[in-house]
Amino acid sequence: MGGLYSTTVVAGIHHMYTVIDLGQISQYGLTYWLPLASAANMAQGAACLAVGIKTKNAKTKSLALPAALSAMLGITEPAIFGVNLRYVRVFVCGAIGGACGAMAASLFHLGATATGVTGIFGILLHLHAPIQYIISMAIAAAVAFILSYLFGYKDEQ
């Protein structure tokens, strides 16, 4: 789901996941969904950051860098709609990174203690397993950044 989450953001149906979060919290005391969303958000932010670093176009750079930070703080729409979807391969690279980070979170059985904030500040919901959270998010960001930088974005002439 870490690879598909960003597509649901594009469709605007990502708000429905709060119901899943609340159901899991009531049943298990943790939500295993939120770390997957965090990985997807971090990955799309890292993919956008790769564009911002690689581009020589001042307009693209001025859009990509703040959008990347926003995504890493949990608000992905500026990165997804402003940058990543414009360069489809960048969006796909972000989705691959999100899938890798979500896989790591799943292998760690990582769950959040509440719903809400994702990305960098999502660690506040994972204080019982901060190392696992950091590793999962680092995997998501690294895979997305490297793939986007190497294969996803070609600077326009």
Side-chain angles (χ1 to χ4, degrees):
M1 272 318 295
L4 297 175
Y5 179 82
S6 297
T7 304
T8 66
V9 172
V10 172
I13 58 173
H14 61 293
H15 297 291
M16 71 177 179
Y17 297 129
T18 302
V19 175
I20 295 172
D21 285 331
L22 295 175
Q24 287 186 347
I25 289 170
S26 70
Q27 187 171 2
Y28 307 115
L30 296 171
T31 173
Y32 299 98
W33 187 264
L34 195 76
L36 308 182
S38 281
N41 290 350
M42 289 295 288
Q44 288 296 333
C48 187
L49 181 63
V51 173
I53 289 173
K54 190 171 184 179
T55 188
K56 292 174 181 56
N57 183 306
K59 184 177 177 182
T60 302
K61 188 178 291 283
S62 69
L63 178 62
L65 295 178
L69 176 61
S70 172
M72 290 182 182
L73 294 175
I75 308 298
T76 56
E77 286 85 355
I80 289 174
F81 292 113
V83 179
N84 296 3
L85 278 177
R86 182 177 300 163
Y87 311 105
V88 176
R89 290 186 308 225
V90 174
F91 182 79
V92 172
C93 291
I96 294 168
C100 293
M103 181 179 68
S106 295
L107 291 173
F108 289 137
H109 302 286
L110 189 59
T113 56
T115 187
V117 66
T118 60
I120 293 170
F121 292 124
I123 196 167
L124 298 173
L125 303 176
H126 299 85
L127 293 177
H128 59 286
I131 301 302
Q132 293 89 334
Y133 184 80
I134 291 169
I135 291 169
S136 298
M137 298 309 112
I139 289 170
V143 169
F145 183 89
I146 291 167
L147 289 177
S148 295
Y149 194 88
L150 295 178
F151 308 112
Y153 179 73
K154 305 275 190 268
D155 211 12
E156 299 144 354
Q157 296 299 325

